[in-house]
Every structure is written in structure tokens, then in C-alpha cells.
Amino acid sequence: MQGTHTRWSGWKAWLNAIAVIGVIALLVAACTSGSGSAVGADIIEARGLTDADVEAALKTFTPSGTHDEYLLFSSGGHGGQLSIVGVPSMRLLKTVGVFTPEPWQGWGFGDLKTEEVLAEGDVNGIEVRWADTHHPALSETDGDYDGEFVFINDKANARIAVIDLRDFETKQILKNPIAINDHGGTMVTPDTEWVIEGGQYATPLAGEWAPIEDYEASFRGMVTFWKFDRASGRVLADESFAMELPPYWQDICDAGKLASDGWVFCNSFNTEMATGGVEDGNLPFEGGVSARDNDYLHIINLEKAAQLAAAGRTTEMNGFAVMTLETSIEEGLLYFVPEPKSPHGVDMAPKGDFIVVSGKLDPHTTVYSFEKIQEAIADENWTLDGYGVPILDFDAVLEAQVELGLGPLHTQFDDRGYAYTSLFLDSAVARWTLGGDYDAPEDPWTLVTKTPVQYNIGHLVTAEGDTVSPDGRYLVSLNKWAIDRFANVGPLLPQNFQLLDISEEGETMPVIYDMPVTFGEPHYAQIIKADKIDAWETYPCPGNPCELGFDPATMAVDPDSPVLGNERIERNGNEVEIWMTAIRSHFTPEHVELRQGDHVTWHITNVETSYDATHGFALPGYNINLSLEPGETATFEVELVNAGVYPYYCTEFCSALHLEMMGYLSIEPTG
Ligand code: RUQ
Ligand code: CUA
């Protein structure tokens, strides 16, 4: 695989190095002025740094105590979580527990509110505690990130999650009632009314069974539109609906915006409807699925579909509203357009006018015009596919094709009319120009330059690059392979996020940082201006004197939570309820004396109001581990099956007397 990336522009790197030769001179001049000692030059020489290295260091170094200008919200891949990275420093700031238990945050280790959210993701009674997260979607207002929420999907189990950016905690997990896996999610519509979850590998819907031989008749694809209610910060499942689709493998989706607001675009592959089974003499999947030259871009009239769904034009599957394929065809909700070989990405340009699709096995990227699509629909310029869905005429809706290189996948944009496409096989990022009203510095629809990346890039992301107003500035290349980029840490290698400086026009677009990624294979990420996030420093303490005991599940103070002075233990038969407080450096009560066989409901409030004064609560032997952020209350339940003496203690080094912040749970044996 190492041989699959090209080093075609190695000579170019030399040219770039020569171009920045002045940087060293400037740096040395700056360092020597006044003092007379060339400190910078010594370090540069001792470390063998090139001019490009020095420039990259200056662009990314973030002095102690200063903050990053942007935040990258990255999928945690098959780690099932969400990670936040500062840009340009590429410092990992936080990994948020989403579908997977996360001990640092006490996510899924007894704390009932976290257990309840995780349990929402159970699949037909099976506890599923991992996920293959792919695509985070920041909430938008008028097509721009608003910093309030982020959503993410689980490809493996067709689930989506809602994370509130006031406290960076997962509030809700939804299992798709009709699909077992997904991929084209999550993406949001410009005002976050809808969270999109497109399918992937077709199956009979709603967990039904049918033989694989019945694929064309019984298997189906789908796209689900989850209705998001911003006020409650929750998806409303009973106002959501899905659309039944032919059993093509729907892939990535994107929402229309501005000119194309109200429409949704999903690419697909396996319009061959290959079912594999090489052991029975069939074509293997990888051959069968890519046999045809074209698959279909799905064009969906979401606005009209939502009106019909609200008016009850759906049927129920597994208790969920589903619009049948028949209804979608009858009502003109669904159109196809051919897209070149093995399509993967679909990305809407900032003005909502062009849809960019790339076929992994076609060196071109293909650009469709939304206006021409509307004309073709009005003119009924179509043929029908086997299920009766109109296939719009390719040439009638095509705006441009630009030859970029091998294995084009995903595209993002900047504020100067450039588009950036990842080239998986070339291991490169291509910069090219949009036509139309974008006024790019070079001729429209031309390849401007390519920067090699290491190696096998999947997605790429530019700052706010999928919104109506991209910032440009930075691009992160999400590389699947790292090979030689980091010290050998054994056969499982980290992946490699590479930061590219895209602030200059034209051919200069250097890699300026490599960041090893150790939490799974992230697929997608989004970069938001850091000052759009307005997260809480501590949990709110409303009123005067203020009331502590905030419950992140309800986002309100729990009036029954423990507070200073009302700590107690109440017993009713074998049922015991405990109200405990935590404050530096003391749990109250310190002795909890119970009996084997007791069932305990245990509440703890961290009654601190200071920034960063978090306490942990660990109860050994019973798998209980909480994180109590300032002002927060938490509850866990435990069945005292084993007797003994169990020291509980605080896991956060909160004060000089942190080691003393403990207590004894004494469980007296019975019988
Ligand atoms: S996808 S690169 Cu979900 Cu493109 Cu993976
Ligand atoms: Cu509280 Cu350590």
C-alpha cells in the first residue's frame, strides 16, 4: 500500500523550500536583535530543521495559556465517541463519551442518566456499547454553524446521537427503527430542523427476514429525517419519518441550502444490486458492486415529503412513519441522476447552486447544477429505473467535470471560490476552482494544485467548509494510513490528521502539522470558529442564594438532590436511599453502614461552584465511577450482593487533601 501514494511533486517541495528561504533569515534577525545571541539559529541547526519546518512551527505553535482559533469536532470512528481538537495547535482537548462508556467522564459506569442514554441505543434488547461513528454535524442557523449542538451517527447499528454543547454531554441516542445500519448521517438542514440519516447496506426493512435471493423484491434502502426540537434539545421521534428507497446502497448525503434549500442529495452505489456469494459462483461483492459505469445520485424533495408526512401520507413500520417508494414516485419526491463509477462523496457548494460528486474509480469530479436539475424535472427529461424512479438526463444537469487525479472522494470549500477534494489513491489534496458566481483567482473549473499527504486520505475538512460561509484558512486531511509518520508503537498504527495551511492563493498549500489519532478511525470532522462555542464553565446555580444540584439529563436543578446540610441515609426494609455531598476535601457522610442484600439508591451532589473543581466518585468492586462536575448531581443504584468493607474515594486530585477525600461503605454479611 505504501507504493500507492505518489511523490509526483517532490521537486515542488524543493521549490517551496527555496521560496520560503527568507523566513530563516527573518527569524534569526528577530531572535538576535537586541541580545546578539542567535538562539533560534542554534535550535534550527541542532534539530536539523528546514525552512519549511520553521515556517510550519511558527504557524502552529500556540504559546502556553493561549487558545486555538478553531475547534475541530472529529468523529471517534469505531471508538464510538467524539473528539475535539484545537486548530492550529492540533492539541486534543476532549473526547466525549457518546455510544461507548468513557470512564473519565463517568459515562456509563453507574450514573443513571448516562446509563439511560446508552440504553436508548440498545438494539432489540441487546446491549450495544460500541459504535462506528462516521459523520459529526454541528447545528446550523441560516446554513452557518451556531455552536449549540452536534450530532453523530453510528454506521454499524443505525443510530444517531445528540450532544449539547453547553456541557459537551450526550443527551440522546436514537436507534433507527427500520434500519440495521446506516452511513449517510448525520447532516443537518440549514436551520437544523432535520437531522439526516441515510442508509448503507440494503436489508429487508424493520428487522424483517427475507432470503438473499429475494434481494430485488424484499430488500430496501432508506433515508430517515429526524425532527430536531432546539428548545428541548431533543430529536422528536414521533415527528420524524423515513423514506423507503430502492435497494441501492445509499451512501453520503448533504442538505441543500440557499438556492437548493428544502432538497436533500444522497449518492449511492451498488445500483447493480449485486448480492455477492462468491462461494456460490457469483461475482464477489467488490466486483459486482462496481460493475456498472454509473450509479444514482438521489435527489429528494424534503420540503414536500415533510408536508406529506405531516399530513399522514406514510405507513407504519415498527411503529415508525415510513413513506413508501410508491408514494415518493407518485408525489415527485425522488429523482435520480447518473453519477460516475463508485461514487462516494456528495457535497453542496456554499451558495447551494452546485452539487459535487466524486467517483472513486473515475479521475474526474462531477459537478451538477441545481438549476438544471429543476429544469430537467420540470421538462420531465428522464427515463425510469427498474422501480419506476425518474432518472434525469445526465448531460442536461451536468455543469462541469474536472480531472483531479486518482480516487477522488470528498470535497469542501473556502471563501475564494476554491474547492478541495481528497484523492485517496493519489494520497493528495487537490485544489480546484468553482465556476458560476464564485470568482476564483484562476479560470473556472480547473485544477490548481495538489499537495501530497501521508497517506490514503479519506475525508478532508476546511474551516466551516461545508457552510454557506466557509472561512478557508485551514484544511485537515483525515488520513487512513500513517506508515512511517510516527515512532513504531506496534502493528496497530495511529491514523494521521495533517493540517494544511490553505491561506495563500494558487499553488502553495503546505502540510504544517501531523497529529496521531488514537481513538478509532475517524471519518469526518468539522471545524468551527472557537468563539462560536459558549459552553458553561460550571453547571448553573440559579437563584440567590443559588441552588446547587444541576441534573444534566433535564438541564435543570433537581429539587430532591443532596445539598449541604440535608445529607442523610434513609432505610425502608432492604431499600436504602443516600443523599451525599462532595466538597474539597470531604464526602458527607463518611461512613455508610449497610447490609448484604440491600438495594441502594445513592445521590451525590458536587456542591462546588469554582471553575474546574471536579470530584470523582469511585466505588471499587461494584463498577461504579462517577464524574461530578461543579454543581452537578448524579444518582446510581447498586445491589449489595457482596459483603465487605469498600473504601469509596475521589478520583480527581482536587486539593492538597484529595487523598483523604474518601469514606467507608461497610456491608455487613447476612446469613
Ligand atoms: S465516509 S472516508 Cu463515512 Cu468517506 Cu469514511
Ligand atoms: Cu475531590 Cu479529590
Side-chain angles (χ1 to χ4, degrees):
M1 205 71 182
Q2 192 153 15
T4 60
H5 66 275
T6 64
R7 299 191 183 272
W8 66 277
S9 64
W11 60 273
K12 233 181 205 179
W14 282 105
L15 280 187
N16 284 342
I18 292 163
V20 297
I21 211 113
V23 171
I24 282 240
L26 285 174
L27 182 79
V28 171
C31 292
T32 53
S33 65
S35 72
S37 74
V39 177
D42 287 353
I43 298 169
I44 291 162
E45 202 193 321
R47 298 198 66 205
L49 302 179
T50 65
D51 306 347
D53 296 336
V54 172
E55 200 177 20
L58 293 176
K59 284 174 177 170
T60 55
F61 177 66
T62 304
S64 177
T66 61
H67 296 183
D68 283 295
E69 195 181 344
Y70 288 93
L71 296 177
L72 175 118
F73 281 74
S74 170
S75 147
H78 44 316
Q81 299 169 337
L82 175 88
S83 289
I84 296 109
V85 173
V87 175
S89 74
M90 302 307 279
R91 295 178 297 191
L92 176 62
L93 302 178
K94 192 169 205 176
T95 292
V96 176
V98 184
F99 297 101
T100 305
E102 205 294 324
W104 166 47
Q105 290 151 61
W107 184 252
F109 296 94
D111 185 340
L112 282 183
K113 62 183 175 287
T114 75
E115 300 285 0
E116 278 160 17
V117 173
L118 285 163
E120 289 169 352
D122 289 353
V123 181
N124 300 324
I126 307 284
E127 261 192 24
V128 178
R129 292 296 179 271
W130 77 284
D132 184 15
T133 51
H134 271 235
H135 312 111
L138 288 155
S139 58
E140 297 180 9
T141 299
D142 295 330
D144 221 342
Y145 300 150
D146 56 38
E148 292 187 0
F149 296 91
V150 59
F151 310 88
I152 194 162
N153 73 312
D154 166 23
K155 166 170 165 156
N157 302 287
R159 299 182 295 179
I160 67 158
V162 182
I163 297 122
D164 193 318
L165 294 182
R166 281 172 290 183
D167 62 353
F168 281 63
E169 286 207 0
T170 305
K171 301 299 172 185
Q172 189 181 22
I173 292 177
L174 295 118
K175 168 74 195 100
N176 192 303
I178 67 159
I180 188 66
N181 68 100
D182 71 24
H183 188 231
T186 53
M187 290 84 198
V188 297
T189 52
D191 282 309
T192 323
E193 272 193 281
W194 299 100
V195 181
I196 302 165
E197 183 192 17
Q200 182 104 92
Y201 307 121
T203 61
L205 295 181
E208 294 293 312
W209 179 84
I212 299 172
E213 294 70 41
D214 279 1
Y215 187 87
E216 293 183 26
S218 304
F219 286 45
R220 286 292 177 269
M222 70 94 203
V223 58
T224 298
F225 299 107
W226 294 103
K227 179 84 185 167
F228 183 62
D229 176 45
R230 202 184 277 268
S232 63
R234 295 290 188 279
V235 164
L236 308 176
D238 54 3
E239 292 182 32
S240 306
F241 69 101
M243 286 172 78
E244 176 195 23
L245 297 172
Y248 311 144
W249 293 353
Q250 286 77 33
D251 197 28
I252 307 249
C253 301
D254 202 2
K257 52 192 166 214
L258 299 173
S260 51
D261 196 2
W263 292 73
V264 166
F265 306 84
C266 301
N267 70 298
S268 70
F269 59 120
N270 199 19
T271 51
E272 294 84 351
M273 296 189 282
T275 55
V278 69
E279 55 281 4
D280 300 322
N282 299 325
L283 271 180
F285 270 115
E286 67 270 32
V289 169
S290 51
R292 295 179 67 216
D293 279 339
N294 290 295
D295 293 289
Y296 300 133
L297 174 67
H298 294 36
I299 300 163
I300 296 163
N301 188 340
L302 171 59
E303 195 181 321
K304 189 167 173 197
Q307 283 163 5
L308 292 171
R313 280 295 298 282
T314 50
T315 56
E316 271 210 3
M317 280 189 198
N318 210 0
F320 196 69
V322 179
M323 190 151 297
T324 63
L325 186 53
E326 211 183 339
T327 304
S328 296
I329 295 169
E330 227 171 78
E331 297 289 347
L333 307 178
L334 175 66
Y335 302 91
F336 291 156
V337 91
E339 47 182 4
K341 231 168 155 47
S342 292
H344 187 45
V346 54
D347 296 286
M348 178 56 70
K351 298 182 202 289
D353 44 1
F354 300 128
I355 302 124
V356 181
V357 168
S358 297
K360 297 173 297 241
L361 302 180
D362 180 322
H364 298 87
T365 194
T366 301
V367 183
Y368 302 93
S369 152
F370 181 71
E371 203 182 312
K372 291 179 186 174
I373 287 172
Q374 292 305 308
E375 281 164 19
I377 292 172
D379 297 346
E380 302 194 2
N381 186 0
W382 62 54
T383 54
L384 298 182
D385 93 319
Y387 292 90
V389 180
I391 308 170
L392 306 180
D393 181 70
F394 179 76
D395 295 316
V397 301
L398 181 71
E399 183 71 25
Q401 285 192 299
V402 187
E403 184 166 349
L404 300 180
L406 300 180
L409 297 181
H410 299 288
T411 300
Q412 291 229 332
F413 307 91
D414 72 9
D415 52 340
R416 295 162 303 190
Y418 286 135
Y420 300 83
T421 299
S422 53
L423 302 174
F424 178 81
L425 296 174
D426 269 356
S427 283
V429 171
R431 167 186 271 172
W432 52 283
T433 54
L434 295 170
D437 303 331
Y438 289 90
D439 297 322
E442 292 85 6
D443 289 344
W445 312 123
T446 49
L447 173 65
V448 177
T449 192
K450 293 199 250 186
T451 293
V453 290
Q454 290 77 31
Y455 306 93
N456 298 343
I457 176 176
H459 274 267
L460 51 68
V461 54
T462 57
E464 309 214 343
D466 64 356
T467 71
V468 294
S469 65
D471 286 14
R473 311 265 319 265
Y474 296 110
L475 181 151
V476 172
S477 166
L478 285 71
N479 305 319
K480 306 289 184 194
W481 289 44
I483 307 178
D484 57 356
R485 302 328 268 186
F486 306 109
N488 184 356
V489 288
L492 176 63
L493 272 67
Q495 306 209 346
N496 189 11
F497 276 4
Q498 285 182 307
L499 179 67
L500 277 70
D501 175 7
I502 57 166
S503 56
E504 250 182 82
E505 283 178 10
E507 301 202 355
T508 309
M509 202 168 64
V511 171
I512 56 172
Y513 202 88
D514 280 20
M515 175 200 171
V517 174
T518 59
F519 41 71
E521 181 183 308
H523 286 256
Y524 185 49
Q526 290 181 327
I527 300 176
I528 182 174
K529 202 87 195 307
D531 62 14
K532 286 187 177 176
I533 305 283
D534 191 18
W536 290 330
E537 295 187 347
T538 60
Y539 277 107
C541 186
N544 188 12
C546 80
E547 242 189 303
L548 286 162
F550 198 87
D551 179 0
T554 56
M555 290 301 233
V557 171
D558 173 0
D560 189 37
S561 62
V563 289
L564 287 178
N566 83 354
E567 299 94 339
R568 64 201 187 276
I569 300 174
E570 287 178 6
R571 172 179 287 282
N572 183 359
N574 276 353
E575 292 294 322
V576 178
E577 192 160 359
I578 300 171
W579 285 263
M580 173 178 271
T581 58
I583 193 168
R584 276 162 291 174
S585 305
H586 194 75
F587 287 114
T588 307
E590 289 189 333
H591 284 181
V592 177
E593 288 168 296
L594 304 177
R595 290 190 292 268
Q596 192 175 15
D598 283 344
H599 176 266
V600 187
T601 305
W602 193 319
H603 314 278
I604 312 178
T605 302
N606 176 354
V607 292
E608 305 263 5
T609 51
S610 316
Y611 200 11
D612 210 0
T614 295
H615 298 290
F617 178 86
L619 178 58
Y622 279 97
N623 200 32
I624 301 295
N625 168 42
L626 314 180
S627 172
L628 300 156
E629 284 102 70
E632 181 181 3
T633 195
T635 296
F636 65 91
E637 286 183 37
V638 64
E639 202 68 52
L640 301 182
V641 289
N642 297 316
V645 177
Y646 297 83
Y648 51 84
Y649 70 98
C650 171
T651 49
E652 290 265 343
F653 209 112
C654 52
S655 72
L657 297 175
H658 150 81
L659 291 179
E660 291 78 358
M661 188 168 176
M662 61 84 65
Y664 282 114
L665 166 62
S666 157
I667 308 173
E668 195 185 330
T670 50

